[in-house]
């Protein structure tokens, strides 16, 4: 990464449990020396260490409290306090209301509450929450997932990435993603439920959100077990006119202002990558 580059590294994108070669949801955002770990699903702490030690992470941002987005916060706590990591200060942790107590309930093994705040400086998210972490500006909006859940807009150097977290299509997500350079959007569902509340995107929903928000690029992530990445990308690409790709673990995407090109950073397209005009 160049000193002024803004990049997304996929640590994992599996749901609802890790695969042999794919951890659960987790991403690393880097820009001008700033590092933010976004979602901490099972397996992502190990993958994170390919790129940065835990004490080199400037902040952690969590979309919601399901285990496939948070489980590695538990082991990160032990790493931060009881291993070879020496923190200069607790790591800023941005997450839904109640995240500290939720962690403490898992970590406490006796009458004394585990000192979660010694490892993490907790900041609870709310709709419209704004924060600045180094060179990254972070804006969070509440989204629809049947529980408190948030989407993220990260901006650096005039470039923008929006991450849906887990969410059904909703106005807050579309507004947050308006004219962003890259939309990282989940496509967990093969189809919308016939009854009951919708809590995830289908591939077509992801494409429609990207179209409505006039985004430059769409990266499909969090593909459910009843879809393949290729199916999800092909279905989204049939409804969205920009570049569509899949968040394969280990891939690095450069966030730039270009429209209609592959989102990959200097890497060849895989079979599921569908650039503009390539379908």
């Amino acid at each position: 990464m160049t000193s002024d580059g803004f990049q997304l590294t996929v640590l994992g994108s599996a749901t609802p449990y890790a695969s042999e070669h794919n951890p659960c949801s987790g991403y690393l955002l880097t820009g001008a020396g700033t590092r933010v770990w976004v979602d901490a699903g099972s397996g992502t702490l190990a993958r994170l260490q390919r790129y940065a030690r835990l004490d080199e992470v400037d902040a952690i941002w969590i979309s919601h409290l399901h285990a496939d987005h948070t489980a590695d916060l538990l082991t990160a706590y032990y790493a931060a306090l009881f291993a070879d990591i020496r923190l200069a200060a607790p790591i800023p942790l941005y997450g839904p209301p109640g995240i500290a107590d939720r962690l403490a309930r898992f970590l406490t093994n006796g009458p004394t509450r585990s000192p979660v705040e010694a490892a993490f400086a907790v900041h609870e998210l709310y709709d419209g929450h704004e924060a600045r972490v180094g060179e990254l500006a972070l804006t969070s909006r509440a989204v629809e997932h049947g529980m408190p859940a948030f989407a993220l807009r990260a901006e650096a150097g005039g470039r923008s990435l929006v991450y849906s977290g887990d969410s059904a299509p909703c106005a807050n997500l579309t507004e947050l993603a308006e004219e962003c350079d890259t939309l990282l959007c989940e496509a967990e569902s093969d189809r919308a439920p016939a009854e009951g509340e919708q809590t995830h995107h289908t591939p077509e929903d992801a494409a429609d959100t990207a179209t409505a928000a006039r985004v430059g690029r769409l990266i499909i992530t969090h593909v459910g077990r009843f879809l393949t990445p290729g199916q999800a990308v092909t279905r989204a690409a049939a409804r969205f006119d920009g570049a569509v790709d899949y968040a394969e673990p280990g891939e690095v995407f450069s966030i730039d202002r270009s429209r209609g090109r592959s989102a990959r950073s200097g890497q060849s397209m895989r079979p599921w990558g569908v650039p503009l005009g390539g379908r």
Side-chain angles (χ1 to χ4, degrees), residues 211-230:
T211 299
R214 302 183 300 280
V215 311
R217 301 165 171 173
L218 173 61
I219 303 174
I220 295 294
T221 192
H222 202 265
V223 174
R225 296 285 169 163
F226 299 101
L227 288 168
T228 67

Side-chain angles (χ1 to χ4, degrees), residues 134-208:
E135 296 302 312
L136 298 182
L138 308 180
T139 302
S140 302
R141 293 297 309 271
V143 292
E144 297 179 8
H145 190 51
M147 64 184 300
F150 296 87
L152 171 68
R153 185 177 182 117
E155 298 176 294
R159 290 160 288 177
S160 54
L161 165 78
V162 170
Y163 168 48
S164 65
D166 279 10
S167 173
C170 62
N172 278 359
L173 176 59
T174 301
E175 292 171 7
L176 186 68
E178 185 174 357
E179 295 188 346
C180 71
D181 296 304
T182 298
L183 172 62
L184 176 66
C185 190
E186 64 118 288
E188 194 275 343
S189 297
D190 180 33
R191 57 182 57 86
E195 298 180 358
E197 181 183 11
Q198 183 173 355
T199 57
H200 289 284
H201 280 66
T202 66
E204 290 80 9
D205 290 331
D208 290 346

Side-chain angles (χ1 to χ4, degrees), residues 66-83:
H66 280 152
D68 59 333
H69 295 256
T70 62
D72 271 14
L73 289 178
L74 304 177
T75 48
Y77 165 85
Y78 288 111
L81 296 186
F82 305 113

